[in-house]
Amino acid sequence: MIDIVGDEHDTGPPGRRNPASTLLKNLRHDVPASVVVFLVAVPLSLGVAHAAGAPLLAGLVSAVVGGIVASFFGASVLQVSGPSAALTIVIAETIATFGWAATCAMTAAAGVVQILFGLTRVARATLAISPAIVHGLLAGIGLILVLGQLHVVLGGVARSSTIENILALPGRIVGHHDQAALVGVVTVGVLLAWTRLPRTVRRVPGPLAAVALATGLSVAAGMDLPRVDLPNGLPGLGFVPQAPSGSVAAIIAAVLSIALIASLESLLSAVAIDKLRDGPRTDLNRELVGQGLANVAAGSLGGFPVTGVVVRTMTNFEAGARTRMSAILHSVWILGCCLFLAGALRLIPLAALAGLLVYVGAKLVNITSLREVRRHGDLPVYLATLIGAVAVNLLTGVAAGIAVALALMLRRMLFSGIHVERDGPRTRVVIEGALTFLSVPRLTTVLAEVPERAEVTLELFVDYLDHAAFDCLRGWQRAYERAGGTVIVDEIGHPWFERGKAGVPTVRRGVASRVVPRWLAPWSQWQAEHLELPSQRGGSVPLCRGASEFQRRTAPLLRSTWDGLANGQQPHTLFITCGDARIVPNLITTSGPGDLFTVRNIGNLVPRAEADFSVGAAIEYAVGLLRVREVVVCGHSGCGAMKALLGDAPDGLAHLGGWLRHGEATMRRRESEGPVLLDGERPAHEGDRLALHNVVQQLENLRSYPVVDAALARRELRLTGMYFDVGKANVYLLDEALRSFTSAAAPVKS
C-alpha cells in the first residue's frame, strides 16, 4: 500500500496555524500560477497530439487527467504532468501500427508497468542511465520533431520517416508556399522574438501569444486553413480502448517504450525541480506510481500518454506556485476551456501548432547540455544515441548509446595509467587505476620496455586487480628476477599484490587488514609490515623514500597552493604544542600549508613574558605581525614533561631541568585549584591530570604578553585550550566556564 505523506509545501509548517488560513495563503500564489501554466499547456497539448497523429482532443484529455491524477497521487509538489513532445515519435509509430483505440489500451498498460516500477522501488535505478544518453535521446526526439513539422509549416505534410523528411526538405524550402506557410512562419517568428521583448510583455506566455497572433492573423485575413477539430459536448465519455492485435513482441516493445520514456522524463523533471525548491526531496518511487495511475486513467478515457513535463513544471515554479493545487487547478481551467470555449479553440490553424512544435523540438536540442556532455568526455555517447534515434528509432538510439558508453568504459579500463619512469640507473613501473584482463596487452608492452638486470620498483596504486593481471605481474616478476634483475613491489592502498610472488591474491577488500594511507601512518609501522615480506618490499631509508614519494605524488597536487604562499604567510592560528613525536598538528586539526604558525617545545609551556625570549618572540611575531585570530595551546596524554614535573625527571640533564622550571606554576595550580575534568571525569593517570591543568595555566601565561592582552581587548584574538588523547585518538576542547575539556565532536561555543 502506498503511504501518501503530506509534504511541508502542502500543509505548511507545524504548529497551531489554522489549516484554512494556510490554504488561503498558498492559494494566493497557486491560483495565478495555475492560470499561467494553463495558458502554456493548452496550445502545447494540442500541438503534441497533432504531431503524433492522435485526435487533438486526446492532448487536452491527457492534460486534464495528468494534472489531477498525477498531482494528487504523485510525490512531486510542483510537477505538472500532461502530454509531452518526448513521446510523439513513439506514439506516432504506435498509432500507425495498431490504431488509436489500441494505442490507448497500450497507454493504460504502460501505466500499469510504471506502477510496478514504483512498487518495486526501482525508480532511482533508472537514474543510473548516463546523462549523455538522456540528452542524446531528447535531442533526437527534438530533431525528428523539427524535421517533420517543418514540412507542415512550409505548407506540406510530414513524410513517414526522418530520412525521407531530410531528403524532401530542400525542395519544400524552395517550392511554392501557401497561406499555411505564412501562419507557421509567423508563429515561429513570434516565439523567437518573444524572449527579447520587455518583461511586462513577457508576462503573457510565449506559446499562447504566438498561437493567438497567428490565429488572429488567419481569421482577419479570411484564410481557408485546416483548423483544430474538437467535438461538441463533454469529451472522452463513452470511449472504450481496444486490445491491440498483431505481433506480441511489437506490442510489448511499444508498451515498454512508452513506460520507460514517460518514466525517465518524469523522474528527470522531478529531480530538476527539486534542485530549485526548498524542502524534502521527491520520493521518486511514489512519483512513478502517480504517473502510472495517470496513464491508466488517460488511456481509459482516450487520452495521450502522460508524463511529467519539464517546460510546464519550470513554468509552474517560476510563476510562484507553492503546492500541488496549482497543477490541479490548471487542469480544471483546461476542462472548463473544453466545455465552454471550444469554439475559440476551433479557430486555431494546425499550421500554428506545427510552428509551435518546431520551436519546442529545437529547444530539446539543448546546447548547454551538449557542452556539459562534451566536458565530461561523453560526446560519442550523445552522438550515437542521437544518430540511432534519428536514423532508425528511439530504442535503437538508446541501445546504441548504451553500447558506446560501455565501450568507452572498457577503453578507459584498457588504458589504465601504466607507464615507465626512469630515474638514473633505477627504473619505476607505475600502474594506476583498475588493472583487468583488458589491460594485459598494454601491461605486457610496457613491461617489455624495462631494461634487463636492473633494480625495478613496481609501484601499484590500483583500485582492482583481477586474475589475468595478477598472473601477468607474477609471471613477469619471476622471469625478471631469474634473469638477474631485482623487483621491489611498492603497493599504495589496498594490498592486492602483496603476496604476489607466492601466488596468493588478496581478492576482496574485506579479507585484508585496513590499510592506513602512507602519509598518515608512522614510518616505523610501515617498516615493521615490510619486514615480513623482504622479497616484495624495498629497504630504502624511510625519510628519503618519503621525500621521493612526496616529490612525485604530492608536490604536483600542492604546487599551486605553495605558489600562492611563496611571497608571504597569513596563518589564522598560532598553535603551541609539545615536541612529542606522536602529535601531528596539521593532522589533528585537518589543516594544511599556510594555516598554522606552530611553536613546539617540551611540555607545550608558555613562559611568562619576562621569563623567556624564544617563545615570547614567536608569540609577538604571530600575534603582533601576522595578526593571527586564534592561539591554541595543545596538551596531550602520556606527556613525558608532565611525568618529569611529578618527579620522574632523568638526572644530569641541566638544560631540561632549567626549562621545566617554567612548569612550576602548573604544579602550584594543581595544589590550589580543583580538578580539571575530561568529558566530565578525572583521567586515571596523574600525569594526564597535570597535563589538563598545564593547558589552563599556559593560557593564563599568554595573557601576560602585552601584545596578546591588547588583541584580546580589541576582540581580535581568541585563546583556545586543546587536549589530545593519544591512545583514543580523541581531540578535546576546553570549556572554561565548566572547567572541563569536552569532545571536539560537540565543540564548545565560542
Side-chain angles (χ1 to χ4, degrees):
M1 180 177 180
I2 303 300
D3 181 21
I4 301 176
V5 181
D7 190 281
E8 67 175 8
H9 292 272
D10 297 302
T11 60
R16 296 184 177 181
R17 184 176 297 176
N18 187 342
S21 65
T22 303
L23 176 63
L24 291 175
K25 181 178 179 181
N26 287 330
L27 282 177
R28 288 203 299 269
H29 300 274
D30 290 336
V31 171
S34 70
V35 173
V36 174
V37 179
F38 153 70
L39 296 174
V40 172
V42 169
L44 284 177
S45 299
L46 293 171
V48 167
H50 169 64
L56 297 184
L57 181 62
L60 298 176
V61 170
S62 174
V64 173
V65 172
I68 295 175
V69 178
S71 298
F72 186 78
F73 291 102
S76 181
V77 175
L78 298 182
Q79 175 136 278
V80 181
S81 300
S84 168
L87 280 167
T88 53
I89 310 305
V90 172
I91 297 303
E93 293 177 355
T94 307
I95 294 172
T97 305
F98 300 100
W100 174 244
T103 299
C104 291
M106 296 164 76
T107 296
V112 174
V113 173
Q114 287 183 286
I115 294 172
L116 293 176
F117 284 164
L119 293 177
T120 52
R121 310 189 71 78
V122 298
R124 290 198 175 275
T126 61
L127 297 181
I129 298 174
S130 169
I133 295 176
V134 175
H135 293 308
L137 180 63
L138 292 176
I141 292 170
L143 196 56
I144 294 170
L145 205 57
V146 169
L147 292 171
Q149 295 304 307
L150 268 178
H151 284 277
V152 181
V153 168
L154 296 175
V157 293
R159 306 303 173 93
S160 58
S161 73
T162 305
I163 302 299
E164 291 180 5
N165 282 326
I166 294 174
L167 295 176
L169 190 58
R172 176 59 57 187
I173 293 174
V174 300
H176 173 71
H177 305 310
D178 54 14
Q179 296 174 334
L182 175 62
V183 170
V185 170
V186 167
T187 304
V188 175
V190 171
L191 286 166
L192 292 174
W194 203 253
T195 57
R196 296 175 174 82
L197 296 178
R199 180 182 293 271
T200 53
V201 177
R202 286 188 282 115
R203 289 179 180 175
V204 178
L208 175 67
V211 172
L213 289 173
T215 301
L217 173 64
S218 69
V219 172
M223 296 180 181
D224 183 17
L225 297 172
R227 300 180 187 271
V228 169
D229 182 19
L230 293 178
N232 294 317
L234 188 64
L237 296 180
F239 178 83
V240 179
Q242 295 179 4
S245 59
S247 168
V248 175
I251 294 171
I252 294 175
V255 170
L256 289 178
S257 297
I258 296 170
L260 289 173
I261 294 175
S263 298
L264 190 59
E265 183 171 10
S266 298
L267 294 177
L268 291 174
S269 176
V271 170
I273 199 64
D274 277 350
K275 293 178 180 179
L276 298 178
R277 71 178 184 90
D278 297 326
R281 304 300 89 182
T282 298
D283 181 342
L284 298 180
N285 293 299
R286 176 184 158 186
E287 179 63 22
L288 271 190
V289 172
Q291 295 291 333
L293 290 171
N295 272 318
V296 171
S300 301
L301 295 174
F304 200 87
V306 169
T307 176
V309 187
V310 176
V311 174
R312 300 182 202 186
T313 302
M314 291 302 177
T315 301
N316 193 38
F317 172 79
E318 292 169 359
R322 293 288 183 87
T323 74
R324 63 186 76 236
M325 280 301 297
S326 174
I328 294 173
L329 287 174
H330 113 282
S331 296
V332 174
W333 310 145
I334 295 175
L335 181 59
C337 183
C338 293
L339 294 176
F340 305 111
L341 297 176
L345 295 178
R346 293 191 189 99
L347 297 175
I348 299 175
L350 295 182
L353 297 181
L356 174 61
L357 285 169
V358 167
Y359 179 78
V360 171
K363 295 283 284 184
L364 288 176
V365 186
N366 192 308
I367 301 301
T368 302
S369 299
L370 179 58
R371 292 193 185 114
E372 185 73 14
V373 167
R374 183 173 177 272
R375 189 159 49 242
H376 285 276
D378 286 337
L379 185 60
V381 178
Y382 178 94
L383 293 176
T385 307
L386 187 150
I387 293 171
V390 172
V392 188
N393 55 50
L394 298 182
L395 288 180
T396 301
V398 172
I402 293 174
V404 173
L406 289 173
L408 286 178
M409 181 186 71
L410 292 177
R411 181 183 179 277
R412 288 161 184 163
M413 294 179 67
L414 178 64
F415 292 94
S416 301
I418 307 173
H419 61 279
V420 175
E421 296 178 357
R422 289 186 172 85
D423 182 14
R426 297 183 178 181
T427 301
R428 181 178 297 273
V429 179
V430 181
I431 302 176
E432 299 175 293
L435 197 61
T436 69
F437 66 95
L438 296 171
S439 307
V440 169
R442 165 75 176 165
L443 179 61
T444 55
T445 301
V446 172
L447 293 176
E449 300 174 5
V450 177
E452 297 180 354
R453 292 185 292 278
E455 181 180 312
V456 180
T457 298
L458 185 61
E459 186 174 291
L460 298 176
F461 198 173
V462 297
D463 303 316
Y464 176 69
L465 181 70
D466 77 353
H467 188 183
F470 180 91
D471 278 350
C472 179
L473 287 177
R474 179 191 178 201
W476 172 82
Q477 182 182 10
R478 285 184 168 184
Y480 192 82
E481 291 184 342
R482 279 199 300 267
T486 302
V487 178
I488 300 170
V489 177
D490 187 8
E491 195 163 14
I492 301 172
H494 181 73
W496 299 104
F497 196 65
E498 68 174 357
R499 294 176 291 176
K501 187 177 291 188
V504 182
T506 305
V507 179
R508 297 184 304 277
R509 294 181 185 273
V511 301
S513 57
R514 295 179 66 185
V515 179
V516 180
R518 183 170 298 166
W519 45 90
L520 301 183
W523 279 105
S524 57
Q525 178 180 335
W526 279 92
Q527 283 182 296
E529 293 174 354
H530 296 171
L531 291 176
E532 299 176 6
L533 300 160
S535 61
Q536 287 282 89
R537 305 288 189 174
S540 305
V541 178
L543 287 182
C544 293
R545 180 175 168 190
S548 174
E549 185 170 312
F550 164 82
Q551 197 62 43
R552 287 184 296 103
R553 290 196 170 276
T554 310
L557 301 176
L558 292 173
R559 191 161 285 134
S560 61
T561 300
W562 267 305
D563 181 62
L565 298 170
N567 296 322
Q569 58 173 324
Q570 291 183 322
H572 54 69
T573 300
L574 167 60
F575 197 87
I576 303 172
T577 190
C578 186
D580 194 297
R582 298 167 295 178
I583 310 303
V584 187
N586 290 102
L587 180 61
I588 65 174
T589 59
T590 315
S591 52
D595 291 337
L596 304 182
F597 188 85
T598 306
V599 174
R600 306 189 69 154
N601 60 53
I602 303 300
N604 48 273
L605 300 176
V606 180
R608 294 186 65 83
E610 66 278 1
D612 178 77
F613 288 103
S614 175
V615 176
I619 292 171
E620 289 183 346
Y621 189 83
V623 178
L625 295 180
L626 298 179
R627 302 287 184 181
V628 296
R629 300 184 296 277
E630 183 177 24
V631 179
V632 175
V633 177
C634 179
H636 66 96
S637 63
C639 182
M642 298 301 104
K643 295 177 182 177
L645 285 173
L646 290 170
D648 192 19
D651 297 329
L653 301 178
H655 291 90
L656 177 61
W659 172 255
L660 289 177
R661 280 197 292 270
H662 295 301
E664 292 174 355
T666 297
M667 296 295 291
R668 292 193 296 270
R669 169 177 287 275
R670 167 176 170 266
E671 299 298 331
S672 61
E673 302 286 343
V676 180
L677 303 180
L678 187 67
D679 257 358
E681 300 179 354
R682 297 182 68 182
H685 300 289
E686 190 64 34
D688 295 344
R689 298 174 190 173
L690 184 62
L692 299 178
H693 279 287
N694 187 54
V695 172
V696 178
Q697 179 61 46
Q698 305 319 310
L699 291 175
E700 183 177 310
N701 290 352
L702 275 169
R703 293 182 172 88
S704 70
Y705 289 83
V707 67
V708 173
D709 188 57
L712 290 171
R714 296 192 302 268
R715 297 187 177 182
E716 295 176 355
L717 186 67
R718 179 175 63 183
L719 303 184
T720 300
M722 183 181 291
Y723 180 82
F724 181 64
D725 189 322
V726 176
K728 297 179 180 178
N730 279 350
V731 176
Y732 299 88
L733 300 176
L734 175 63
D735 187 332
E736 293 190 82
L738 299 177
R739 292 181 53 81
S740 177
F741 284 80
T742 58
S743 173
V748 296
K749 295 180 181 180
S750 58

